Every structure is written in structure tokens, then in C-alpha cells.
């Protein structure tokens, strides 16, 4: 058997097993050394290939697909710095628990560390961020080696999904020539293997759950608390909203719901959902008056910094954090009891107990009253020129049912936290909140749109500029996506931070205006550009964009200083009315 046949059968068995393990999308960045993988994936009849030239964009694009579909996506690139450009997305995938199968091509061992072109150290290239790394053997086509290839492929997909999902990395050394021969018969099989060798490893995984005794112990621990608090941070389980709101209704508890918790939108009951807590927890007096007896948090830490202050100031309060598999996501450093169990099953088990928590109804009522006061101020008034908060407010009013809102970091996610109120619409809210970076957000949003879902991407001008390459996929594949571009000509979030007091260096180091006319760049990528002047105008343009095929970008231009003033006026009005009510 010659080299080409060995290469073809080996690579085909890897690819076929990845597909059989449930992967249906692969994102390929062109290159020479990755030819065997790229061609074989493209040749396979049961996988959809996406070709993205820029590796950094490709990795974030893959992550957008994986987030939207909640299943692993494969990534393929050539050797050298091409593989290094995957690193930011792999870091994000690790922290945000997104399954990626990273397949990097490499020089064979004899061409490493000898000055060969495009040869860098790729073993453990991504450090400890992949859940599992394996250096694949050089291609061979013996029955044992084809069985080995399938086993490693199956294990890679399993490891990406197991426990907390995340990235895995397989590194493939390939010798030249690199072009497979697809005229060979039975390349998707191990033709000479025995029946036992055809069978690769299979995996059966169960959910983590507490025993009945542990459930009773947990309920007893909470029984004395009359002022409990449920907190829902970022998470993506579509079953969660229904069970957590049912539990809150039974126990008469307020639910602080982060916009990424998937609890603010949907058909479930929302009377106990508190979505405006970030606005009123900014006041220290209010935080002091709202001391709970215990806190149960599901999901990651909420976006709200005001909530972080609230938790830190009540460090003595009993806190329980529920993780579906494992993890230690407690940045406040408070004393915490971690509960490692499937959140949905845990809520159902708690509801099934005969115990009903005795609570102070005034506790829930107080949270609900403050929430209504906050919403009244946040949703009132219209400026002559649309503000950043009004942009989010208008977007949430017209965003289609059964759609996805993908949110950029910095001010974008914070305005969604403030202005995205409860809605009966089925709107999934996604963001790259693992490492909270601004890189790759356009690509991730476009990747989510590649699944066929109606997607609106809310993003600031610096994040947009940082990843304009991501628009190429929308142009190339004619993807439908609406982008709401909030342009305050710089890093708007820094205007809310103490750095803004340094007038000498603020603009150069933090404000960082780019002074770009984005209209020209959008048209270069075949997009339709519009600029909105008022909130009503924005809603009209957004509604029209959802009927337009392809890329639509609606820009609003704001002033960073005026934006800070507008937000603070809203917060001050909320605090004033709440504190007056208490004094009365």
C-alpha cells in the first residue's frame, strides 16, 4: 500500500468517525499542510463545510454555530501561526463552555525544530485550555491504525461534550504528498478489520443529581431563611426557565435574572422575575436594606457589577452555587457551598419535597416594587436623538419571536442587562462572556446566523472594527443577519470608570476613537447600510431589516459624555423614588 492510500484511508476514518459521533459542521481555513483534512471533510456527504480564510474569524465563527446549536463544531487549519490564530477563540470556548473539535495540521517530526517553513511548536500549543490534547500518529492504514484513528476521533467528540463542554485539540503530522485519492474503494471504512476492530469506543453518560437525603438536607438548611434570593446567571439550558420560575412561585422568592440566563424571555411565568436589579442595586443604602438570609445562584456570575457589590457586602450570608458538572465560578470570594447537580433535575427534586419555605411576603413585594419603579424610569421618555439605552429598548420591542440576540461585550451587554425587559417572545440571548473580550464578536454572530436562525447582533464600534473580517462569511454565504452598530467613537464603557477623570491621557489610552466611516466598509462586504436618528426611526429600520435578505447594518451615533449623563440621570431618578418610598 503506497503513501497516498495510507493517507486517504487514515484521514477518511478520522473524518467519518467525527461525523458519526454527531458533528455536522466543519469550519475550514485554507492551507497546504491541512489538505488531507480539508479535502476529506469536503468530500464527506454528511457534513457541512464552511470556508473562512481568516483563522481567528473562523474559530469565532465556529463558536457561534456551536453556541447556537448547542453541539460541537470541527475546526481545520494548516500548520504554523495559522493554528496560533485560533487561540483567542479557544480561550473563550474554554471559559464559556463551548464544544469545539480543533484539528491542526503539522509538519512531520523530521521537519520540526530544523528551520522548516511554517513549522512551530504545536504540541500543547493552547496550554491547558483544551480539555484534551492528542498528537495523532503519522498516517497508516493497517486495521489496528484505522481503529486507532476512529477511537481518537470518537474520544475527541465525547470529551468536547463531557461534563462542562469545551475545546479539544488533535494535532496531525502529515508528510507530502498531501492530496488524498477519493477513487479508492471503501475509504470511509476499515475494510480489513475484524468486526471487533470496526467497533470504536462508545460512551454512555448520565446526569449528576443529589440523593433524596441530600435534597432533604438542602431544604432543611434553607428552612429557617425567610428572605431567600434566587439568582440566575448566564446559562443556555432551554429547560431551565420553566423549572426555576415554578420553584420561585412555590417558594415565593424573587428571581434576579441576568439577560444571558434565558429567563427574561419565553412563555413561562415571570411575576417573580426581577430584571432591573442592576439599576437599583447601584445604591449602597438600597443594597444594605436588602440583606437576604441566603442566595442560591444558578449559572455563571451575572454581568452586573452592582450585583457583585451586593454579594461582597453580604459576604456572611449563606450562598449556594449550582453547577451542572463541576467548576468554581465565585469571583467574590465569599464562603460558598457548591452543589454539583443538573440544575433542572435539582429544581424538580426540591419542588417534589413536602417542605415549603416560610418566607416574608414583604420581602418579595419589596423587590417587585423596586423593579417596577426602575422599569418605569428606564422605559420612559424619548430623546431627540437616539441614545444607547434607547437603542436597546427599541431593539427589544421589535426583535422577532423565535430569534437570537447576540450581544457584544463592554457597553452592549450592560445596556442589554439594563433595558432588556421580560417578554413572552422566544428570544435566545447569547454573548462571548467566557473571557469577555471584544475580539471575534462579529464572527460569532455571523456563525450563529449560519444555522438559519434569525440573528440580531448588537455591537459597539470598537468591537465591530476589531472583527470586520467576520463580515466576509456573511457576504460569501449570503447569510441573513441584522447588526445594530452603536458608534460612540471609542471605548464607551471607560467613560463610566475612574480612568475618565484623567483628562490628559484618557482619549489616547481608553477613549481610543477610530474615526471610521463604517458605511464604506459595510458596502465593501455587500451589506445594506442605514443610520437611525431617533428611537422610532430605529424601530422602523430594524423591522425592515428583518425582511431584507443578506447583511443589514443599522448604525446609531452617540456621544460618550452625553451617554454617561443620560444613564446616570436614569439611575439617580430610580434611587430617589425608591428611597423616598422607604422614608415615607
Amino acid at each position: 500500500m503506497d503513501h497516498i492510500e495510507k493517507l486517504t484511508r487514515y484521514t477518511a476514518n478520522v473524518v467519518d468517525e467525527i461525523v458519526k459521533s454527531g458533528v455536522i459542521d466543519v469550519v475550514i481555513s485554507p492551507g497546504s499542510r491541512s489538505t488531507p483534512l480539508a479535502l476529506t471533510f469536503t468530500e464527506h456527504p454528511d457534513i457541512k463545510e464552511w470556508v473562512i480564510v481568516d483563522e481567528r474569524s473562523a474559530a469565532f465563527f465556529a463558536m457561534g454555530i456551536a453556541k447556537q446549536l448547542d453541539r460541537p463544531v470541527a475546526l481545520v487549519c494548516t500548520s504554523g501561526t495559522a493554528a496560533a490564530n485560533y487561540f483567542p477563540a479557544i480561550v473563550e470556548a474554554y471559559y464559556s463552555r463551548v464544544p469545539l473539535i480543533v484539528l491542526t495540521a503539522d509538519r512531520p517530526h523530521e521537519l520540526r525544530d530544523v528551520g522548516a517553513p511554517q513549522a512551530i511548536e504545536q504540541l500543547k500549543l493552547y496550554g491547558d485550555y483544551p480539555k484534551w490534547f492528542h498528537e495523532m500518529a503519522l498516517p497508516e492504514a493497517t486495521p489496528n491504525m484505522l481503529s486507532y484513528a476512529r477511537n481518537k476521533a470518537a474520544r475527541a467528540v465525547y470529551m468536547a461534550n463531557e461534563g462542562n463542554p469545551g475545546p479539544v485539540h488533535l494535532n496531525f503530522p502529515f508528510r507530502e504528498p498531501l492530496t488524498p485519492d477519493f477513487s479508492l474503494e471503501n475509504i470511509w471504512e476499515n475494510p480489513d478489520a475484524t468486526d471487533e476492530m470496526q467497533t470504536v469506543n462508545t460512551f454512555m453518560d448520565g446526569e449528576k443529581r443529589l440523593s433524596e437525603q441530600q435534597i432533604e438536607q438542602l431544604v432543611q438548611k434553607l428552612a429557617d431563611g425567610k428572605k431567600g434570593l434566587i439568582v440566575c446567571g448566564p446559562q443556555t439550558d432551554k429547560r431551565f426557565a420553566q423549572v426555576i420560575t415554578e420553584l420561585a412561585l412555590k417558594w415565593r422568592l424573587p428571581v434576579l435574572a441576568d439577560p444571558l440566563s434565558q429567563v427574561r424571555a419565553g412563555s413561562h411565568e415571570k411575576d417573580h422575575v426581577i430584571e432591573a436589579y442592576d439599576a437599583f442595586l447601584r445604591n449602597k443604602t438600597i443594597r444594605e436594606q436588602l440583606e437576604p438570609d441566603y442566595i442560591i445562584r444558578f449559572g455563571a456570575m451575572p454581568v452586573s457589577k452592582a450585583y457583585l457589590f451586593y454579594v461582597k457586602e453580604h459576604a456572611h450570608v449563606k450562598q449556594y452555587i449550582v453547577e451542572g458538572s463541576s467548576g468554581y465560578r465565585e469571583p467574590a470570594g465569599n464562603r460558598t457551598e457548591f452543589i454539583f447537580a443538573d440544575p433542572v433535575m435539582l429544581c424538580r427534586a426540591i419542588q417534589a419535597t413536602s417542605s415549603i419555605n416560610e418566607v416574608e411576603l414583604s420581602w418579595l413585594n419589596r423587590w417587585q416594587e423596586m423593579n417596577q419603579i426602575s422599569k418605569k424610569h428606564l422605559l420612559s421618555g424619548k430623546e431627540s436623538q437616539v441614545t444607547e439605552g434607547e437603542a436597546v429598548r427599541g431593539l427589544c420591542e421589535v426583535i422577532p419571536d423565535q430569534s437570537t440576540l447576540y450581544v457584544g461585550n463592554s457597553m452592549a451587554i450592560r445596556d442589554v442587562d439594563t433595558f432588556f425587559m421580560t417578554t413572552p417572545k422566544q428570544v435566545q440571548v447569547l454573548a462571548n462572556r467566557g473571557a469577555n473580550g471584544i475580539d471575534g464578536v462579529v464572527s460569532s454572530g455571523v456563525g450563529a446566523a449560519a444555522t438559519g436562525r434569525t440573528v440580531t447582533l448588537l455591537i459597539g464600534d470598537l468591537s465591530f472594527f476589531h472583527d470586520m473580517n467576520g463580515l466576509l462569511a456573511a457576504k460569501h454565504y449570503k447569510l441573513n443577519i441584522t447588526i445594530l452598530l452603536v458608534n460612540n467613537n471609542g471605548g464607551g464603557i471607560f467613560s463610566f470608570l475612574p480612568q475618565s477623570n484623567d483628562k490628559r491621557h484618557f482619549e489616547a489610552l481608553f477613549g481610543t476613537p477610530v474615526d471610521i466611516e463604517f458605511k464604506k466598509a459595510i458596502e465593501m462586504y455587500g451589506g445594506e447600510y442605514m443610520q437611525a436618528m431617533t428611537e422610532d426611526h430605529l424601530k422602523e429600520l430594524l423591522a425592515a431589516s428583518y425582511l431584507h435578505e443578506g447583511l443589514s447594518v443599522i448604525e446609531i451615533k452617540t456621544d460618550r459624555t452625553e451617554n454617561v449623563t443620560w444613564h446616570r440621570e436614569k439611575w439617580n431618578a430610580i434611587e430617589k423614588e425608591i428611597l423616598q418610598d422607604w422614608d415615607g
Side-chain angles (χ1 to χ4, degrees), residues 72-125:
V73 174
L75 270 166
V76 172
C77 75
T78 191
S79 62
T81 55
N85 280 310
Y86 280 168
F87 210 150
I90 289 170
V91 171
E92 174 62 34
Y94 170 78
Y95 285 113
S96 58
R97 301 180 177 179
V98 178
L100 295 178
I101 316 295
V102 182
L103 312 174
T104 56
D106 200 354
R107 292 307 200 248
H109 303 78
E110 67 270 16
L111 292 181
R112 297 178 186 176
D113 199 26
V114 294
Q118 281 187 265
I120 68 171
E121 179 54 71
Q122 292 182 205
L123 301 185
K124 289 276 187 176
L125 175 62

Side-chain angles (χ1 to χ4, degrees), residues 9 12-13 16 20 146 150 186-191 198:
R9 295 192 182 281
N13 274 261
D16 186 63
K20 284 183 176 178
L146 295 184
R150 284 189 175 272
N186 301 322
I187 63 167
W188 308 113
E189 302 174 5
N190 187 345
Q198 289 284 8

Side-chain angles (χ1 to χ4, degrees), residues 50 105 111 141 251 262 268 328 416 494 507 533 579:
W50 306 87
L111 292 181
W251 278 20
Q262 319 309 322
H268 52 278
Y328 192 91
V416 169
F494 291 106
E507 279 298 290
M533 306 306 296
L579 293 173

